[in-house]
Coordinates of all heavy atoms in Angstrom, one line a residue:
M1 N -11.7 14.5 -11.1 CA -10.9 13.7 -10.2 C -9.5 13.4 -10.8 O -9.4 13.0 -11.9 CB -11.7 12.3 -9.9 CG -11.0 11.4 -8.9 SD -11.8 9.8 -8.7 CE -13.3 10.3 -8.1
S2 N -8.5 13.6 -10.0 CA -7.2 13.3 -10.5 C -6.9 11.8 -10.6 O -7.6 11.0 -10.1 CB -6.1 14.0 -9.5 OG -6.1 13.3 -8.3
Y3 N -5.9 11.5 -11.4 CA -5.5 10.1 -11.6 C -5.1 9.4 -10.3 O -5.4 8.2 -10.2 CB -4.5 10.0 -12.7 CG -3.1 10.1 -12.3 CD1 -2.4 9.0 -11.9 CD2 -2.5 11.3 -12.2 CE1 -1.1 9.1 -11.5 CE2 -1.2 11.5 -11.8 CZ -0.5 10.4 -11.4 OH 0.8 10.5 -11.0
Q4 N -4.5 10.2 -9.4 CA -4.1 9.6 -8.2 C -5.3 9.0 -7.4 O -5.3 8.0 -6.8 CB -3.3 10.5 -7.2 CG -2.0 10.8 -7.7 CD -1.9 12.2 -8.5 OE1 -2.9 12.7 -9.0 NE2 -0.7 12.7 -8.6
W5 N -6.4 9.9 -7.3 CA -7.6 9.4 -6.6 C -8.3 8.2 -7.3 O -8.9 7.4 -6.7 CB -8.5 10.6 -6.4 CG -8.0 11.4 -5.2 CD1 -7.5 12.7 -5.3 CD2 -7.9 11.1 -3.8 NE1 -7.1 13.1 -4.1 CE2 -7.3 12.1 -3.2 CE3 -8.3 9.9 -3.1 CZ2 -7.1 12.1 -1.8 CZ3 -8.1 9.9 -1.8 CH2 -7.4 11.0 -1.1
T6 N -8.2 8.3 -8.6 CA -8.8 7.1 -9.4 C -8.0 5.9 -9.0 O -8.7 4.9 -8.8 CB -8.7 7.4 -10.9 OG1 -9.3 8.6 -11.2 CG2 -9.3 6.3 -11.7
I7 N -6.7 5.9 -8.9 CA -5.9 4.8 -8.5 C -6.2 4.3 -7.1 O -6.4 3.1 -6.8 CB -4.4 5.1 -8.8 CG1 -4.1 5.2 -10.2 CG2 -3.6 4.0 -8.1 CD1 -2.7 5.7 -10.5
V8 N -6.4 5.3 -6.2 CA -6.6 5.0 -4.8 C -8.0 4.3 -4.7 O -8.1 3.2 -4.0 CB -6.6 6.2 -3.9 CG1 -7.2 6.0 -2.6 CG2 -5.2 6.8 -3.8
L9 N -9.0 4.8 -5.4 CA -10.3 4.1 -5.4 C -10.3 2.8 -6.0 O -10.9 1.8 -5.5 CB -11.3 5.1 -6.0 CG -11.6 6.3 -5.3 CD1 -12.6 7.2 -6.2 CD2 -12.3 6.0 -3.9
A10 N -9.6 2.6 -7.1 CA -9.5 1.3 -7.8 C -8.8 0.3 -6.9 O -9.3 -0.8 -6.7 CB -8.8 1.5 -9.1
L11 N -7.8 0.7 -6.2 CA -7.1 -0.2 -5.3 C -7.9 -0.6 -4.1 O -7.9 -1.7 -3.6 CB -5.7 0.4 -4.9 CG -4.6 0.4 -6.0 CD1 -3.4 1.0 -5.5 CD2 -4.3 -1.0 -6.5
G12 N -8.7 0.4 -3.6 CA -9.5 0.2 -2.5 C -10.6 -0.8 -2.8 O -10.9 -1.8 -2.0
V13 N -11.2 -0.7 -4.0 CA -12.2 -1.6 -4.4 C -11.7 -3.0 -4.6 O -12.3 -4.0 -4.2 CB -12.9 -1.1 -5.7 CG1 -13.8 -2.2 -6.4 CG2 -13.7 0.2 -5.4
T14 N -10.5 -3.1 -5.2 CA -9.9 -4.4 -5.5 C -9.5 -5.0 -4.1 O -9.8 -6.2 -3.9 CB -8.5 -4.1 -6.3 OG1 -8.9 -3.5 -7.5 CG2 -7.9 -5.5 -6.6
A15 N -9.0 -4.3 -3.2 CA -8.7 -4.9 -1.9 C -9.9 -5.3 -1.2 O -9.9 -6.4 -0.5 CB -7.9 -3.9 -1.0
L16 N -11.0 -4.5 -1.2 CA -12.2 -4.9 -0.6 C -12.8 -6.2 -1.2 O -13.2 -7.1 -0.5 CB -13.2 -3.8 -0.7 CG -14.6 -4.1 -0.1 CD1 -14.5 -4.2 1.4 CD2 -15.6 -2.9 -0.5
T17 N -12.7 -6.3 -2.5 CA -13.2 -7.5 -3.3 C -12.4 -8.7 -2.8 O -13.0 -9.7 -2.6 CB -13.1 -7.2 -4.8 OG1 -13.9 -6.1 -5.1 CG2 -13.6 -8.5 -5.5
L18 N -11.1 -8.5 -2.7 CA -10.3 -9.7 -2.5 C -10.5 -10.2 -1.0 O -10.5 -11.3 -0.8 CB -8.8 -9.4 -2.7 CG -8.4 -9.2 -4.2 CD1 -7.0 -8.7 -4.3 CD2 -8.6 -10.5 -4.9
R19 N -10.6 -9.2 -0.1 CA -10.6 -9.5 1.3 C -12.0 -9.9 1.9 O -12.1 -10.6 2.9 CB -10.0 -8.4 2.1 CG -8.6 -8.1 1.8 CD -7.7 -9.3 2.2 NE -7.6 -9.4 3.6 CZ -6.9 -10.3 4.2 NH1 -6.2 -11.2 3.6 NH2 -6.9 -10.3 5.5
V20 N -13.0 -9.3 1.2 CA -14.4 -9.6 1.8 C -15.3 -10.3 0.8 O -15.8 -11.4 1.3 CB -15.1 -8.2 2.1 CG1 -16.5 -8.3 2.5 CG2 -14.3 -7.4 3.1
V21 N -15.3 -10.0 -0.4 CA -16.3 -10.6 -1.3 C -15.9 -12.1 -1.6 O -16.8 -12.9 -1.6 CB -16.4 -9.8 -2.6 CG1 -17.3 -10.5 -3.6 CG2 -17.0 -8.4 -2.3
V22 N -14.7 -12.4 -1.8 CA -14.2 -13.7 -2.2 C -14.6 -14.7 -1.0 O -15.2 -15.7 -1.2 CB -12.8 -13.8 -2.5 CG1 -12.2 -15.2 -2.6 CG2 -12.5 -13.1 -3.8
P23 N -14.2 -14.4 0.3 CA -14.6 -15.4 1.4 C -16.2 -15.5 1.5 O -16.7 -16.5 1.8 CB -14.0 -14.7 2.6 CG -12.8 -14.0 2.1 CD -13.2 -13.4 0.8
L24 N -16.9 -14.3 1.3 CA -18.3 -14.4 1.4 C -18.9 -15.2 0.3 O -19.8 -16.0 0.5 CB -19.0 -12.9 1.3 CG -18.8 -12.2 2.6 CD1 -19.4 -10.8 2.3 CD2 -19.5 -12.8 3.7
A25 N -18.3 -15.1 -0.9 CA -18.8 -16.0 -2.0 C -18.5 -17.4 -1.7 O -19.3 -18.3 -2.3 CB -18.1 -15.6 -3.3
A26 N -17.5 -17.7 -0.9 CA -17.3 -19.2 -0.6 C -18.4 -19.8 0.3 O -18.4 -21.0 0.4 CB -15.9 -19.3 0.1
G27 N -19.1 -18.9 0.9 CA -20.3 -19.4 1.7 C -19.9 -20.2 2.9 O -20.6 -21.2 3.2
G28 N -18.9 -19.8 3.6 CA -18.5 -20.6 4.8 C -17.6 -21.8 4.5 O -17.1 -22.4 5.5
R29 N -17.4 -22.2 3.3 CA -16.5 -23.3 3.0 C -15.1 -22.8 3.1 O -14.7 -21.7 3.1 CB -16.7 -23.8 1.5 CG -18.2 -24.3 1.3 CD -18.3 -24.8 -0.2 NE -18.0 -23.7 -1.1 CZ -18.9 -23.1 -1.8 NH1 -20.1 -23.5 -1.8 NH2 -18.5 -22.1 -2.6
E30 N -14.2 -23.8 3.4 CA -12.8 -23.6 3.5 C -12.2 -23.2 2.1 O -12.5 -23.9 1.2 CB -12.1 -24.8 4.0 CG -10.6 -24.7 4.3 CD -10.4 -23.8 5.5 OE1 -11.2 -23.7 6.4 OE2 -9.2 -23.3 5.6
L31 N -11.5 -22.0 2.1 CA -10.9 -21.6 0.9 C -9.6 -22.5 0.7 O -9.0 -23.0 1.6 CB -10.4 -20.2 1.0 CG -11.5 -19.1 1.0 CD1 -10.9 -17.8 1.3 CD2 -12.4 -19.2 -0.2
P32 N -9.3 -22.7 -0.6 CA -8.1 -23.5 -0.9 C -6.9 -22.7 -0.4 O -6.8 -21.5 -0.4 CB -8.1 -23.5 -2.4 CG -9.4 -23.2 -2.9 CD -10.0 -22.4 -1.8
T33 N -5.8 -23.5 -0.1 CA -4.6 -22.9 0.5 C -4.0 -21.8 -0.4 O -3.6 -20.7 0.0 CB -3.6 -23.9 0.8 OG1 -4.1 -24.9 1.7 CG2 -2.4 -23.3 1.4
W34 N -4.0 -22.1 -1.7 CA -3.4 -21.1 -2.7 C -4.2 -19.9 -2.7 O -3.5 -18.8 -2.9 CB -3.3 -21.8 -4.1 CG -4.6 -22.1 -4.7 CD1 -5.3 -23.2 -4.6 CD2 -5.4 -21.2 -5.5 NE1 -6.5 -23.1 -5.3 CE2 -6.6 -21.9 -5.9 CE3 -5.2 -19.9 -5.9 CZ2 -7.6 -21.3 -6.6 CZ3 -6.2 -19.3 -6.7 CH2 -7.4 -20.0 -7.0
L35 N -5.5 -19.9 -2.6 CA -6.3 -18.7 -2.6 C -6.1 -17.9 -1.2 O -6.0 -16.7 -1.3 CB -7.7 -19.0 -2.8 CG -8.7 -17.9 -3.0 CD1 -8.3 -16.9 -4.1 CD2 -10.1 -18.4 -3.2
R36 N -6.1 -18.6 -0.2 CA -5.8 -17.9 1.1 C -4.5 -17.2 1.1 O -4.4 -16.1 1.5 CB -5.8 -18.9 2.2 CG -7.2 -19.2 2.8 CD -7.1 -19.8 4.2 NE -6.1 -20.8 4.4 CZ -6.2 -22.1 4.2 NH1 -7.3 -22.6 3.8 NH2 -5.2 -22.9 4.4
N37 N -3.5 -17.9 0.6 CA -2.1 -17.3 0.4 C -2.1 -16.0 -0.5 O -1.5 -15.0 -0.2 CB -1.1 -18.3 0.0 CG -0.8 -19.3 1.0 OD1 -1.1 -19.2 2.1 ND2 -0.3 -20.5 0.5
A38 N -2.8 -16.2 -1.6 CA -2.9 -15.0 -2.5 C -3.7 -13.8 -1.9 O -3.3 -12.7 -2.0 CB -3.7 -15.5 -3.8
L39 N -4.7 -14.1 -1.1 CA -5.4 -13.0 -0.4 C -4.6 -12.4 0.5 O -4.7 -11.1 0.8 CB -6.7 -13.6 0.1 CG -7.8 -14.0 -0.8 CD1 -9.0 -14.6 -0.2 CD2 -8.3 -12.8 -1.7
T40 N -3.8 -13.1 1.3 CA -2.9 -12.6 2.3 C -1.9 -11.7 1.7 O -1.5 -10.6 2.2 CB -2.2 -13.7 3.1 OG1 -3.2 -14.5 3.7 CG2 -1.3 -13.2 4.2
C41 N -1.3 -12.0 0.6 CA -0.3 -11.2 -0.1 C -0.8 -10.1 -1.0 O 0.0 -9.2 -1.3 CB 0.6 -12.2 -1.0 SG 1.4 -13.4 0.0
A42 N -2.1 -10.1 -1.3 CA -2.7 -9.1 -2.2 C -2.6 -7.6 -1.6 O -2.2 -6.7 -2.3 CB -4.0 -9.4 -2.5
T43 N -2.9 -7.4 -0.3 CA -3.1 -6.1 0.2 C -1.7 -5.4 0.2 O -1.5 -4.2 -0.3 CB -3.7 -6.1 1.6 OG1 -4.9 -6.7 1.5 CG2 -3.8 -4.7 2.2
P44 N -0.6 -6.0 0.7 CA 0.7 -5.4 0.6 C 1.1 -5.1 -0.8 O 1.7 -4.1 -1.0 CB 1.7 -6.3 1.3 CG 0.8 -7.2 2.2 CD -0.5 -7.3 1.5
A45 N 0.8 -6.0 -1.7 CA 1.2 -5.7 -3.1 C 0.4 -4.6 -3.7 O 1.0 -3.8 -4.4 CB 1.0 -7.0 -3.9
L46 N -0.8 -4.4 -3.3 CA -1.6 -3.3 -3.8 C -1.1 -2.0 -3.2 O -1.0 -1.0 -3.9 CB -3.1 -3.5 -3.5 CG -3.8 -4.6 -4.3 CD1 -5.2 -4.8 -3.7 CD2 -3.9 -4.1 -5.7
I47 N -0.7 -2.0 -1.9 CA -0.1 -0.9 -1.3 C 1.2 -0.4 -2.0 O 1.5 0.7 -2.2 CB 0.0 -1.0 0.2 CG1 -1.4 -1.1 0.8 CG2 0.9 0.1 0.9 CD1 -1.4 -1.6 2.3
A48 N 2.0 -1.4 -2.2 CA 3.3 -1.2 -2.9 C 3.1 -0.6 -4.3 O 3.8 0.4 -4.7 CB 4.1 -2.4 -3.1
G49 N 2.0 -1.0 -5.0 CA 1.7 -0.5 -6.3 C 1.3 1.0 -6.2 O 1.6 1.8 -7.0
L50 N 0.5 1.2 -5.1 CA 0.0 2.7 -4.9 C 1.2 3.6 -4.6 O 1.3 4.7 -5.1 CB -0.9 2.7 -3.7 CG -1.5 4.0 -3.4 CD1 -2.3 4.6 -4.5 CD2 -2.4 3.8 -2.1
V51 N 2.2 3.1 -3.8 CA 3.3 3.9 -3.4 C 4.1 4.2 -4.6 O 4.5 5.4 -4.9 CB 4.2 3.2 -2.3 CG1 5.5 3.9 -2.2 CG2 3.4 3.1 -1.0
V52 N 4.4 3.2 -5.4 CA 5.2 3.5 -6.6 C 4.5 4.5 -7.6 O 5.1 5.4 -8.1 CB 5.5 2.1 -7.4 CG1 6.0 2.4 -8.7 CG2 6.4 1.4 -6.5
T53 N 3.2 4.3 -7.7 CA 2.5 5.2 -8.6 C 2.5 6.6 -8.1 O 2.6 7.6 -8.9 CB 1.0 4.7 -8.7 OG1 1.0 3.4 -9.2 CG2 0.2 5.6 -9.6
L54 N 2.4 6.8 -6.8 CA 2.4 8.1 -6.3 C 3.8 8.7 -6.2 O 3.9 10.0 -6.1 CB 1.6 8.2 -4.9 CG 0.2 7.8 -5.0 CD1 -0.4 7.8 -3.5 CD2 -0.6 8.8 -5.8
L55 N 4.8 7.9 -6.1 CA 6.1 8.5 -6.0 C 6.6 9.0 -7.4 O 7.3 10.0 -7.5 CB 7.1 7.3 -5.6 CG 7.3 7.0 -4.2 CD1 8.3 5.9 -3.9 CD2 7.7 8.3 -3.4
W56 N 6.3 8.4 -8.4 CA 6.7 8.7 -9.8 C 5.5 8.8 -10.7 O 5.2 8.0 -11.4 CB 7.7 7.7 -10.4 CG 8.9 7.6 -9.6 CD1 10.0 8.5 -9.7 CD2 9.3 6.7 -8.5 NE1 11.0 8.1 -8.8 CE2 10.5 7.0 -8.1 CE3 8.6 5.5 -8.0 CZ2 11.2 6.3 -7.1 CZ3 9.2 4.9 -7.0 CH2 10.5 5.2 -6.6
P57 N 4.9 10.1 -10.6 CA 3.7 10.3 -11.4 C 4.0 10.4 -12.9 O 5.2 10.6 -13.3 CB 3.2 11.7 -10.9 CG 4.3 12.3 -10.2 CD 5.3 11.2 -9.7
A58 N 3.0 10.4 -13.7 CA 3.2 10.3 -15.2 C 3.9 11.6 -15.7 O 4.6 11.5 -16.8 CB 1.8 10.1 -15.8
S59 N 3.7 12.7 -15.1 CA 4.3 13.9 -15.6 C 5.7 13.9 -15.5 O 6.5 14.7 -16.2 CB 3.7 15.1 -14.7 OG 4.2 15.1 -13.4
G60 N 6.4 13.1 -14.6 CA 7.8 13.1 -14.5 C 8.4 14.2 -13.7 O 9.6 14.3 -13.5
A61 N 7.6 15.1 -13.2 CA 8.0 16.3 -12.5 C 8.1 16.0 -11.0 O 7.3 16.4 -10.2 CB 7.1 17.5 -12.7
V62 N 9.1 15.2 -10.6 CA 9.3 14.8 -9.2 C 10.6 15.3 -8.7 O 11.6 15.0 -9.3 CB 9.2 13.3 -9.0 CG1 9.4 12.8 -7.6 CG2 7.9 12.7 -9.6
S63 N 10.6 16.0 -7.6 CA 11.8 16.6 -7.1 C 12.6 15.4 -6.4 O 12.1 14.5 -6.0 CB 11.6 17.7 -6.1 OG 11.0 17.2 -4.9
S64 N 13.9 15.6 -6.4 CA 14.7 14.6 -5.8 C 14.5 14.5 -4.3 O 14.5 13.5 -3.6 CB 16.2 14.9 -6.0 OG 16.6 16.1 -5.5
L65 N 14.1 15.7 -3.7 CA 13.8 15.7 -2.2 C 12.5 14.9 -1.9 O 12.5 14.1 -1.0 CB 13.5 17.1 -1.8 CG 13.1 17.3 -0.3 CD1 14.2 16.8 0.6 CD2 12.8 18.7 0.0
R66 N 11.6 15.0 -2.8 CA 10.3 14.2 -2.6 C 10.6 12.7 -2.8 O 10.1 11.9 -2.0 CB 9.3 14.7 -3.7 CG 8.0 13.8 -3.6 CD 7.0 14.3 -4.5 NE 5.8 13.4 -4.5 CZ 4.8 13.4 -5.2 NH1 4.6 14.4 -6.1 NH2 3.8 12.6 -5.1
T67 N 11.4 12.3 -3.7 CA 11.8 10.9 -3.9 C 12.5 10.4 -2.7 O 12.3 9.3 -2.1 CB 12.6 10.8 -5.2 OG1 11.8 11.2 -6.3 CG2 13.0 9.4 -5.4
V68 N 13.5 11.1 -2.2 CA 14.4 10.7 -1.1 C 13.5 10.5 0.1 O 13.7 9.6 0.9 CB 15.6 11.7 -0.9 CG1 16.3 11.3 0.4 CG2 16.5 11.6 -2.0
T69 N 12.7 11.5 0.5 CA 11.9 11.4 1.6 C 10.9 10.3 1.6 O 10.7 9.6 2.5 CB 11.2 12.8 2.0 OG1 10.3 13.1 0.8 CG2 12.2 13.8 2.3
A70 N 10.3 10.1 0.4 CA 9.4 9.0 0.2 C 10.0 7.6 0.4 O 9.5 6.7 1.0 CB 8.6 9.1 -1.1
L71 N 11.2 7.5 -0.2 CA 12.0 6.2 -0.1 C 12.5 6.0 1.3 O 12.5 4.8 1.8 CB 13.2 6.2 -1.0 CG 12.8 6.2 -2.6 CD1 14.1 6.3 -3.4 CD2 12.1 4.9 -2.8
A72 N 12.7 7.0 2.1 CA 13.0 6.9 3.5 C 11.8 6.3 4.3 O 11.9 5.4 5.1 CB 13.5 8.2 4.1
G73 N 10.7 6.9 4.0 CA 9.4 6.4 4.6 C 9.2 5.0 4.2 O 8.8 4.2 5.1
V74 N 9.3 4.6 2.9 CA 9.2 3.2 2.5 C 10.2 2.3 3.2 O 9.8 1.2 3.7 CB 9.3 3.1 1.0 CG1 9.4 1.6 0.5 CG2 8.2 3.8 0.2
G75 N 11.4 2.8 3.4 CA 12.4 2.0 4.1 C 11.9 1.8 5.6 O 12.1 0.6 6.1
V76 N 11.4 2.7 6.2 CA 10.9 2.5 7.6 C 9.8 1.5 7.6 O 9.7 0.8 8.5 CB 10.5 3.9 8.2 CG1 9.7 3.7 9.5 CG2 11.7 4.8 8.5
G77 N 8.9 1.7 6.7 CA 7.8 0.7 6.6 C 8.2 -0.7 6.4 O 7.8 -1.6 7.1
I78 N 9.2 -0.9 5.5 CA 9.8 -2.2 5.3 C 10.4 -2.7 6.6 O 10.3 -3.9 7.0 CB 10.8 -2.2 4.1 CG1 10.1 -2.0 2.8 CG2 11.6 -3.5 4.1 CD1 10.9 -1.7 1.6
A79 N 11.2 -1.8 7.3 CA 11.8 -2.3 8.6 C 10.8 -2.7 9.6 O 11.0 -3.7 10.3 CB 12.7 -1.2 9.0
L80 N 9.7 -1.9 9.7 CA 8.6 -2.3 10.6 C 8.0 -3.7 10.2 O 7.8 -4.5 11.1 CB 7.6 -1.3 10.7 CG 8.1 0.1 11.3 CD1 7.0 1.2 11.2 CD2 8.3 -0.2 12.9
L81 N 7.8 -3.8 9.0 CA 7.3 -5.2 8.6 C 8.2 -6.3 8.8 O 7.8 -7.4 9.2 CB 6.8 -5.1 7.1 CG 5.7 -4.3 6.7 CD1 5.5 -4.2 5.2 CD2 4.4 -4.9 7.3
A82 N 9.5 -6.1 8.6 CA 10.5 -7.1 8.9 C 10.6 -7.3 10.4 O 11.0 -8.5 10.8 CB 11.9 -6.6 8.4
G83 N 10.2 -6.3 11.2 CA 10.2 -6.6 12.7 C 8.9 -7.1 13.1 O 8.6 -7.0 14.4
K84 N 8.1 -7.7 12.2 CA 6.8 -8.4 12.6 C 5.8 -7.4 13.1 O 4.9 -7.8 13.9 CB 7.1 -9.5 13.6 CG 8.1 -10.5 13.1 CD 7.6 -11.3 11.9 CE 8.5 -12.5 11.6 NZ 8.4 -12.9 10.3
R85 N 5.8 -6.1 12.7 CA 4.7 -5.2 13.0 C 3.6 -5.4 12.0 O 3.8 -5.9 11.0 CB 5.2 -3.8 13.0 CG 6.4 -3.5 13.9 CD 5.9 -3.6 15.4 NE 7.0 -3.2 16.3 CZ 7.5 -3.9 17.2 NH1 6.9 -5.1 17.5 NH2 8.4 -3.5 18.0
S86 N 2.5 -4.9 12.4 CA 1.3 -4.9 11.5 C 1.5 -4.0 10.3 O 2.3 -3.0 10.3 CB 0.0 -4.5 12.2 OG 0.0 -3.1 12.5
I87 N 0.7 -4.3 9.2 CA 0.8 -3.5 8.0 C 0.3 -2.0 8.3 O 0.9 -1.1 7.8 CB -0.1 -4.1 6.9 CG1 0.1 -3.4 5.5 CG2 -1.5 -4.1 7.2 CD1 1.4 -3.7 4.9
L88 N -0.7 -1.9 9.2 CA -1.1 -0.5 9.6 C 0.0 0.2 10.3 O 0.3 1.4 10.0 CB -2.4 -0.7 10.5 CG -3.0 0.7 10.9 CD1 -3.4 1.5 9.7 CD2 -4.1 0.5 11.9
T89 N 0.7 -0.5 11.2 CA 1.8 0.2 11.9 C 2.9 0.6 10.9 O 3.5 1.7 11.0 CB 2.5 -0.7 12.9 OG1 1.4 -1.1 13.9 CG2 3.6 0.0 13.7
A90 N 3.2 -0.2 10.0 CA 4.2 0.1 8.9 C 3.8 1.3 8.1 O 4.6 2.2 7.8 CB 4.5 -1.2 8.0
M91 N 2.5 1.4 7.8 CA 2.0 2.4 6.9 C 2.1 3.7 7.7 O 2.5 4.8 7.1 CB 0.6 2.2 6.4 CG 0.5 1.1 5.4 SD -1.2 0.6 5.0 CE -1.9 2.0 4.5
V92 N 1.7 3.7 8.9 CA 1.6 4.9 9.7 C 3.1 5.4 9.9 O 3.4 6.6 9.8 CB 0.9 4.7 11.1 CG1 1.1 5.9 12.0 CG2 -0.6 4.6 10.7
G93 N 4.0 4.5 10.3 CA 5.4 4.8 10.5 C 6.0 5.4 9.3 O 6.7 6.4 9.3
A94 N 5.8 4.8 8.1 CA 6.3 5.3 6.9 C 5.7 6.7 6.6 O 6.5 7.7 6.2 CB 5.9 4.4 5.7
A95 N 4.5 7.0 6.8 CA 3.9 8.3 6.6 C 4.4 9.3 7.5 O 4.7 10.5 7.1 CB 2.4 8.2 6.6
V96 N 4.7 9.0 8.8 CA 5.1 9.9 9.7 C 6.6 10.3 9.4 O 7.0 11.5 9.4 CB 5.1 9.3 11.2 CG1 5.9 10.1 12.2 CG2 3.6 9.3 11.6
V97 N 7.4 9.3 9.0 CA 8.8 9.6 8.7 C 8.9 10.5 7.5 O 9.7 11.5 7.5 CB 9.6 8.3 8.5 CG1 11.0 8.6 7.9 CG2 9.8 7.6 9.9
T98 N 8.1 10.2 6.5 CA 8.1 11.0 5.3 C 7.6 12.4 5.5 O 8.3 13.3 5.1 CB 7.2 10.3 4.2 OG1 7.7 9.0 3.9 CG2 7.2 11.1 2.9
A99 N 6.6 12.6 6.3 CA 6.1 13.9 6.6 C 7.1 14.6 7.4 O 7.3 15.9 7.2 CB 4.8 13.8 7.4
L100 N 7.7 14.0 8.4 CA 8.7 14.8 9.3 C 9.9 15.1 8.4 O 10.4 16.4 8.6 CB 9.1 13.9 10.4 CG 8.0 13.7 11.5 CD1 8.5 12.7 12.7 CD2 7.7 15.1 12.2
L101 N 10.4 14.3 7.6 CA 11.6 14.7 6.7 C 11.2 15.7 5.8 O 12.1 16.7 5.6 CB 12.0 13.4 6.0 CG 12.8 12.4 6.8 CD1 13.1 11.2 5.9 CD2 14.1 13.0 7.3
R102 N 10.0 15.8 5.2 CA 9.6 16.9 4.3 C 9.5 18.2 5.1 O 9.8 19.2 4.6 CB 8.4 16.5 3.6 CG 8.7 15.5 2.5 CD 7.4 15.2 1.7 NE 7.7 14.1 0.8 CZ 6.8 13.5 0.0 NH1 5.5 13.9 0.1 NH2 7.2 12.6 -0.8
L103 N 9.0 18.1 6.4 CA 8.8 19.3 7.1 C 10.3 19.9 7.5 O 10.5 21.1 7.4 CB 8.1 19.0 8.4 CG 7.9 20.1 9.4 CD1 6.9 21.1 8.8 CD2 7.3 19.6 10.7
V104 N 11.1 19.0 8.0 CA 12.5 19.5 8.3 C 13.4 19.9 7.1 O 14.0 21.0 7.2 CB 13.2 18.3 9.1 CG1 14.7 18.6 9.3 CG2 12.5 18.1 10.4
L105 N 13.3 19.2 6.0 CA 14.1 19.5 4.9 C 13.6 20.5 3.9 O 14.2 21.0 3.0 CB 14.5 18.2 4.1 CG 15.3 17.1 4.9 CD1 15.4 15.9 4.1 CD2 16.6 17.7 5.4
G106 N 12.3 20.9 4.1 CA 11.7 21.9 3.3 C 11.0 21.4 2.1 O 10.6 21.8 1.2

């Protein structure tokens, strides 16, 4: 298994733990405000960490075209989030823009 998939799986387990296991462990009690806020911010932060990890792998062999197209996709995702769209919409928009730019630019 490549290190990228290891990171994806680790982030998935972490996100699942934060979003599901912690509230279940609370047993129906109200979570403290600081914990609710932390859980709300955790998923976008994990996604950002994944994007950065996949943009600049450890080998350092990243083409400038790959970096520019990925950053364009990230920019679209940020713009969608700033426009109050869902995180899923932002992720799909970023992926589509990145894929289309890579298709067009080679």
Side-chain angles (χ1 to χ4, degrees):
M1 179 184 302
S2 68
Y3 83 94
Q4 288 100 339
W5 283 109
T6 304
I7 292 170
V8 168
L9 290 175
L11 290 176
V13 168
T14 303
L16 179 67
T17 301
L18 291 174
R19 298 295 288 175
V20 175
V21 175
V22 171
L24 286 176
R29 295 182 304 249
E30 184 71 23
L31 294 175
T33 303
W34 65 269
L35 184 56
R36 272 197 324 266
N37 291 340
L39 291 174
T40 301
C41 297
T43 303
L46 290 171
I47 292 169
L50 178 63
V51 168
V52 168
T53 302
L54 295 178
L55 277 178
W56 293 281
S59 67
V62 180
S63 69
S64 60
L65 177 64
R66 180 177 173 181
T67 301
V68 168
T69 56
L71 289 175
V74 170
V76 167
I78 290 170
L80 288 170
L81 288 174
K84 303 293 185 201
R85 302 289 187 236
S86 71
I87 188 79
L88 181 61
T89 303
M91 290 172 54
V92 169
V96 167
V97 167
T98 301
L100 288 175
L101 283 175
R102 288 184 183 172
L103 180 68
V104 170
L105 299 175

